[in-house]
Amino acid sequence: MDSLTQAVLGAACGQAVLGRKIGPKALAWGAIAGTLPDLDVISRVFSEHEIYGLLYHRGLTHSIFITLLAPPLLGYLAHKQRGVVAVLFGLLLVLFMGGMGLKEESTVLQGIGLFILAITAWVGWRYWGSKNPPKLQEEPGWKSWSWMFFWAILTHWLIDAGTSYGTQIFEPFSSYRFSFNNIAIADPLYTLPLLLAVMIIPFFKNKSWQQGINTTALVLSTAYMALTFGIKAKVNAVVSENIKAQNIEELSYVTYPTILNCMLWQTTIETADAYYYGVYSIWDEDSKIKFQKLPKQHQLLDRWKGHEFVDILLWFSQGYYNVTENPDGSLQFNNLRFGLMGFGLLEDSDGYIFKFKLAEKDGELSVEQVRDMDKLQPKLLFSLLWNRIWDKHPAVNK
């Protein structure tokens, strides 16, 4: 899920394990622990091509293997060399931001990247060096630190596995991505209880109150997560009914919520020669879904069959993709596990969200992600999202 959610969930885990010993400072250490798995994005700094980011993000650092291996080591470092842990975290965090700047062609961005790296290294060494570790009210033992890191890392990939992006929890033994598709990558109703708890706990001096507030937030967010599974089961039933009623010869289908909520859902149904895309809100007056047919055209990829980049795209799509041809002869690979922009209602957009352009350059395959940032209309998209939740036939007001 989004970085804010991971940070506040980690903070809540830190407070739950260490709060009675070190007070609200446990929130900060938990936030660090909860953010650590996502520092795998640093791999993009060193990758030769952006497509490798699909392989490495939510890979080994989000696995059961690391969940069991890393906490004892991190717990020992936090117990014995707390300053080192803080310095390493800070350096890793800005290595991504600064390093990505260095990869840009712009000299200005490269300079900003170098500046960020240099300043952070100096600040980290000056204020968080191992000779001056942060002081705590009561020193937790190695086991307590280890448990804190364990729960923060475990819950990190557990909620990530709920999103469509998926998580490779069995790395390095299997690269299969688990995707429960029950929650959006950003959902404020899950995040809000945790965020509020993190914000108000420091104002309470009584540790029992601090722990009570933290526990309440964890219970509420967990209950909401459980609710999304219940809603998904209902949506699956509706989709199955529509498949039968509309005589769709389905091979498989997937359902997934739209961004920022668990009330409006999308579905992609696979058939022999096409996919059917539809949208359903739990507030729809009737359960009939209007589907949009998306031809597969998988044969367009035959020329590049077996190419490493194509194999990565196929693996990441988990079988839900189609291919379209652009006017210039290049191909567009569209991942259908993330739905359509504006639910396919926008006339001036092909609707595909997660897409890559494939073209031949000097006899080699060139692959680049198509972001269409200049075509995004946030106000229109959020308006359409809100209206579609409550109205089955929303007006598209540009």
Side-chain angles (χ1 to χ4, degrees):
M1 295 186 71
D2 62 282
S3 298
L4 173 62
T5 299
Q6 295 293 5
V8 294
L9 177 58
C13 290
Q15 184 68 29
V17 178
L18 299 178
R20 291 192 180 279
K21 293 185 177 181
I22 65 175
K25 289 183 179 179
L27 294 171
W29 284 101
I32 290 175
T35 304
L36 282 174
D38 274 346
L39 293 183
D40 59 4
V41 294
I42 293 172
S43 63
R44 298 178 186 176
V45 176
F46 306 101
S47 299
E48 296 180 0
H49 196 283
E50 64 177 342
I51 199 170
Y52 291 119
L54 301 178
L55 282 176
Y56 301 137
H57 183 43
R58 295 199 187 179
L60 187 61
T61 61
H62 291 62
S63 67
I64 296 173
F65 178 75
I66 289 298
T67 304
L68 298 176
L69 183 66
L73 175 60
L74 293 170
Y76 174 81
L77 290 174
H79 180 51
K80 295 294 186 181
Q81 297 288 337
R82 209 156 38 250
V84 173
V85 175
V87 171
L88 289 175
F89 174 78
L91 287 176
L92 288 172
L93 185 62
V94 298
L95 178 60
F96 171 65
M97 295 186 293
M100 290 304 288
L102 293 177
K103 294 186 74 173
E104 296 290 338
E105 295 181 0
S106 169
T107 304
V108 174
L109 290 177
Q110 292 177 2
I112 292 174
L114 282 172
F115 178 76
I116 290 175
L117 289 173
I119 290 297
T120 304
W122 180 84
V123 171
W125 178 255
R126 174 68 178 80
Y127 293 101
W128 293 89
S130 59
K131 293 182 180 180
N132 298 292
K135 303 297 182 183
L136 300 176
Q137 299 172 13
E138 177 185 343
E139 183 59 55
W142 164 71
K143 289 185 178 179
S144 295
W145 281 109
S146 298
W147 274 117
M148 188 276 291
F149 280 106
F150 171 79
W151 285 109
I153 294 174
L154 174 67
T155 54
H156 181 113
W157 62 256
L158 277 176
I159 65 171
D160 269 353
T163 69
S164 297
Y165 199 92
T167 308
Q168 296 160 244
I169 64 174
F170 288 129
E171 283 281 6
F173 310 106
S174 170
S175 59
Y176 179 79
R177 298 185 80 91
F178 277 82
S179 305
F180 294 114
N181 298 301
N182 65 289
I183 193 166
I185 197 170
D187 191 325
L189 289 182
Y190 178 83
T191 308
L192 189 59
L194 300 169
L195 178 61
L196 291 176
V198 169
M199 292 174 63
I200 65 177
I201 282 176
F203 293 98
F204 287 82
K205 302 299 182 183
N206 185 291
K207 290 185 178 180
S208 294
W209 273 96
Q210 293 173 358
Q211 296 304 97
I213 293 170
N214 191 65
T215 300
T216 300
L218 284 169
V219 168
L220 289 174
S221 61
T222 303
Y224 179 77
M225 183 67 75
L227 174 65
T228 64
F229 279 103
I231 295 176
K232 180 179 176 64
K234 175 186 176 181
V235 173
N236 284 350
V238 171
V239 172
S240 294
E241 291 174 1
N242 275 269
I243 289 173
K244 294 178 181 178
Q246 300 186 40
N247 297 316
I248 298 175
E249 298 181 357
E250 158 254 350
L251 298 177
S252 64
Y253 72 87
V254 61
T255 57
Y256 40 96
T258 55
I259 193 71
L260 303 177
N261 77 100
C262 68
M263 297 180 288
L264 182 62
W265 291 68
Q266 302 174 95
T267 182
T268 304
I269 303 169
E270 181 186 12
T271 65
D273 62 347
Y275 296 93
Y276 289 82
Y277 167 80
V279 183
Y280 172 76
S281 170
I282 61 174
W283 304 116
D284 284 350
E285 295 181 357
D286 62 79
S287 60
K288 184 177 180 179
I289 299 175
K290 181 180 179 180
F291 291 108
Q292 180 177 343
K293 188 175 181 179
L294 307 171
K296 281 186 171 180
Q297 303 189 120
H298 289 179
Q299 73 280 359
L300 294 177
L301 286 180
D302 287 348
R303 180 181 179 186
W304 303 109
K305 187 176 182 180
H307 191 284
E308 181 185 18
F309 291 171
V310 173
D311 287 344
I312 291 174
L313 291 175
L314 293 174
W315 163 79
F316 188 73
S317 73
Q318 296 182 358
Y320 289 92
Y321 72 96
N322 75 339
V323 185
T324 54
E325 189 168 5
N326 297 317
D328 62 1
S330 63
L331 302 179
Q332 184 170 291
F333 184 101
N334 307 301
N335 192 316
L336 302 179
R337 291 172 48 250
F338 300 90
L340 297 181
M341 188 78 68
F343 319 121
L345 298 176
L346 303 179
E347 296 179 357
D348 56 349
S349 170
D350 62 13
Y352 298 112
I353 297 175
F354 208 80
K355 52 191 177 182
F356 288 81
K357 181 180 179 181
L358 286 67
E360 182 179 350
K361 291 185 179 180
D362 300 323
E364 297 291 331
L365 176 64
S366 170
V367 178
E368 61 178 316
Q369 187 171 358
V370 181
R371 292 182 171 86
D372 288 340
M373 298 302 293
D374 57 325
K375 297 181 180 180
L376 287 180
Q377 304 178 61
K379 185 177 180 180
L380 171 62
L381 293 175
F382 281 115
S383 173
L384 188 56
L385 172 66
W386 177 258
N387 291 333
R388 180 58 189 86
I389 290 175
W390 310 107
D391 186 354
K392 193 168 184 177
H393 304 286
V396 182
N397 299 314
K398 298 185 179 181

